Amino acid sequence: GENVEQHPSTLSVQEGDSAVIKCTYSDSASNYFPWYKQELGKRPQLIIDIRSNVGEKKDQRIAVTLNKTAKHFSLHITETQPEDSAVYFCALGGGYNKLIFGAGTRLAVHP
Amino acid sequence: DSGVTQTPKHLITATGQRVTLRCSPRSGDLSVYWYQQSLDQGLQFLIQYYNGEERAKGNILERFSAQQFPDLHSELNLSSLELGDSALYFCASSVAVRAARGDEQFFGPGTRLTVL
């Protein structure tokens, strides 16, 4: 069915450490996996996305990995900075018109 | 600035009232999506329109309705408002009708609705 589980719900790291957020899903029809960042009181913004024919994608300090067999995908942020502090949402696309969003992960990066 | 505009930015009203939220998509985008985000909650999909037609429905209450006009702007109507309807309402737009195509959804700045 249309469901995505996101973990952890909160994540606290020290500046410079890495952060990993994982999402699992069940619908095999999913073929598009975007990640959105939402700063407090602001709009969600796409930070990276991946399609099902690719296993990994990087953009500077962020990367997304996808394991279609195990039905999970993860966001990796390296060398975290205080401005990375936000809520991150994973989402699923494919087989339906809407994106299915995870519940979100609140990331806090401490200087 | 995503190119998606929403008005008003803030709305304070009383229980039982009716309000209309407005969204103008990015130029060229045909799909409009409406989301509700309650305090400290995720993004709950409400409804999608594509080129004037309803294409997908989520957990939208019967008291809520939406439409997309020929100029592609969309309105979300909320009636018989309850305290629990207080939330941030986002609209988003994209070129494609299907998220599967990988076209990014661009979010507007949101309308913060407070029901007293």
Side-chain angles (χ1 to χ4, degrees):
Chain A
E2 303 170 353
N3 186 47
V4 56
E5 292 189 4
Q6 183 171 346
H7 298 282
S9 57
T10 60
L11 182 57
S12 183
V13 300
Q14 290 296 123
E15 183 177 359
D17 288 349
S18 295
V20 180
I21 304 169
K22 183 176 177 179
C23 287
T24 58
Y25 62 98
S26 55
D27 189 350
S28 300
S30 300
N31 59 12
Y32 173 56
F33 308 89
W35 286 88
Y36 283 80
K37 175 183 179 183
Q38 186 179 25
E39 296 177 1
L40 189 62
K42 296 191 176 179
R43 76 189 80 195
Q45 290 187 286
L46 180 73
I47 54 172
I48 195 167
D49 59 12
I50 193 169
R51 300 188 190 192
S52 59
N53 57 346
V54 177
E56 183 176 1
K57 184 176 178 181
K58 283 185 181 180
D59 183 3
Q60 298 182 341
R61 296 186 297 106
I62 60 173
V64 56
T65 57
L66 171 65
N67 184 326
K68 282 216 79 175
T69 304
K71 295 192 179 71
H72 65 72
F73 57 112
S74 299
L75 177 71
H76 304 254
I77 307 174
T78 58
E79 300 173 26
T80 53
Q81 301 168 3
E83 50 265 38
D84 295 328
S85 296
V87 178
Y88 292 82
F89 293 96
C90 64
L92 300 179
Y96 24 79
N97 294 354
K98 59 186 185 286
L99 289 176
I100 309 298
F101 283 88
T105 296
R106 185 174 300 278
L107 173 65
V109 180
H110 302 285
Chain B
D1 185 2
S2 66
V4 179
T5 61
Q6 287 186 250
T7 57
K9 193 171 182 179
H10 300 280
L11 197 50
I12 301 174
T13 188
T15 55
Q17 295 298 303
R18 172 189 169 94
V19 297
T20 297
L21 313 183
R22 182 187 171 103
C23 169
S24 292
R26 288 189 325 151
S27 176
D29 284 358
L30 299 177
S31 270
V32 171
Y33 305 78
W34 285 97
Y35 295 89
Q36 180 191 56
Q37 187 174 41
S38 300
L39 187 63
D40 230 22
Q41 297 293 311
L43 290 155
Q44 299 298 317
F45 169 73
L46 296 178
I47 198 164
Q48 179 209 9
Y49 279 82
Y50 177 78
N51 204 21
E53 293 186 2
E54 180 185 309
R55 296 303 295 265
K57 220 167 184 178
N59 298 323
I60 187 166
L61 301 172
E62 285 191 13
R63 300 183 285 110
F64 295 1
S65 64
Q67 54 184 326
Q68 186 179 28
F69 295 86
D71 67 352
L72 301 177
H73 91 272
S74 178
E75 293 181 356
L76 179 67
N77 300 296
L78 315 176
S79 61
S80 302
L81 286 167
E82 302 175 359
L83 295 177
D85 297 327
S86 295
L88 199 52
Y89 290 84
F90 287 104
C91 84
S93 74
S94 68
V95 170
V97 65
R98 283 188 166 268
R101 292 189 57 185
D103 288 302
E104 179 179 352
Q105 284 191 21
F106 293 86
F107 281 78
T111 292
R112 183 170 295 282
L113 173 67
T114 302
V115 182
L116 301 176

